[in-house]
Each structure stands twice: as structure tokens, then as C-alpha cells.
């Protein structure tokens, strides 16, 4: 069974950091681009970052550039999202998703190429 499991969410103060993990089971991530998305109630799911299957190319939405870093460890079958200088507007449920393509770009909304999704992890940014 193909599964993605996110972890690492929690409560953090503004300016703080969190590292999210997205671990795959039932398949290898080697041939998949991975995207991180976030969603708050009442709003459309937003893609914040993605990484190519090799890890050689990364993309970010403008609002997180310079603060978030996506990376992957294909040996561990895991993709990470390091989030620094967190702001209250970063609070959301964060999801990872896998697309069976080598490269990715940031798209508005949710691209249909992402076929496999995790269950999400909550990030709360509050003092």
C-alpha cells in the first residue's frame, strides 16, 4: 500500500522553527517529485515548495522563499521541509504529496499530477 506520513508539526512561537518530515512506505520516492502544501480552513490548498526526484531542483512560493528549505534523503525515503522564521500566517495543516514525474514547479491550487497524499500535520504559530 502506497502511503505518505507527515510528522514534525506542532506549536511554535513567531520567529521559531520546525522541521516537517514526509516518509514514504510501500514505494520508493526515487522517481517522484514531492510537493509540500498547506491549507487553512476556508481557503484553497496552497503549494509552498516542491523538489525534483533527484533533489537537484527546488521551488518555493514567494511567501516562504528564504525561510523554508525543502530537501530529501532517498535512502531514508523521506522528504523534509525546514521552516525557519515562522510567522502566524504560516499556520496551517501541511501536506506532502508525490507526483510520478522528475521535475516540478509551483502551481496555483493543486496540480492533478500529485496522486499520493499524506494525512497532514498541523503547524500552529502563536505566542
Amino acid at each position: 500500500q502506497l502511503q505518505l506520513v507527515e510528522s514534525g508539526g506542532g506549536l511554535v512561537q513567531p520567529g521559531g522553527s520546525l522541521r516537517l518530515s514526509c516518509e514514504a512506505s510501500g514505494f520508493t520516492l526515487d522517481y517522484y517529485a514531492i510537493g509540500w502544501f498547506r491549507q487553512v480552513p476556508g481557503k484553497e490548498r496552497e503549494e509552498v515548495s516542491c523538489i525534483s526526484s533527484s533533489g537537484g531542483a527546488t521551488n518555493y512560493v514567494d511567501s516562504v522563499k528564504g525561510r523554508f528549505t525543502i530537501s530529501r534523503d532517498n535512502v531514508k525515503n523521506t522528504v523534509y521541509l525546514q521552516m525557519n522564521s515562522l510567522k502566524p500566517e504560516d499556520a496551517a495543516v501541511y501536506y506532502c504529496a508525490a507526483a510520478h514525474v522528475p521535475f516540478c514547479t509551483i502551481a496555483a491550487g493543486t496540480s492533478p499530477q500529485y496522486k499520493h497524499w499524506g494525512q497532514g500535520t498541523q503547524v500552529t504559530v502563536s505566542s
Side-chain angles (χ1 to χ4, degrees), residues 11-55:
L11 171 64
V12 64
Q13 292 185 343
S17 298
L18 284 174
R19 188 177 82 154
L20 305 183
S21 298
C22 171
E23 184 173 5
S25 61
F27 69 112
T28 176
L29 289 179
D30 291 24
Y31 304 105
Y32 289 79
I34 303 296
W36 279 100
F37 297 76
R38 64 187 180 189
Q39 189 170 25
V40 297
K43 290 192 174 182
E44 190 177 4
R45 189 169 295 187
E46 174 190 37
E47 185 172 14
V48 296
S49 183
C50 69
I51 188 167
S52 64
S53 59
S54 69

Side-chain angles (χ1 to χ4, degrees), residues 75-121:
V75 173
K76 294 183 178 179
N77 225 22
T78 301
V79 174
Y80 305 97
L81 185 67
Q82 177 68 44
M83 305 187 297
N84 298 330
S85 302
L86 282 161
K87 304 176 181 180
E89 53 264 41
D90 294 318
V93 177
Y94 282 72
Y95 301 87
C96 64
H100 201 189
V101 295
F103 299 105
C104 59
T105 59
I106 300 298
T110 304
S111 170
Q113 66 184 359
Y114 289 102
K115 303 294 187 185
H116 308 291
W117 289 83
Q119 83 291 346
T121 185

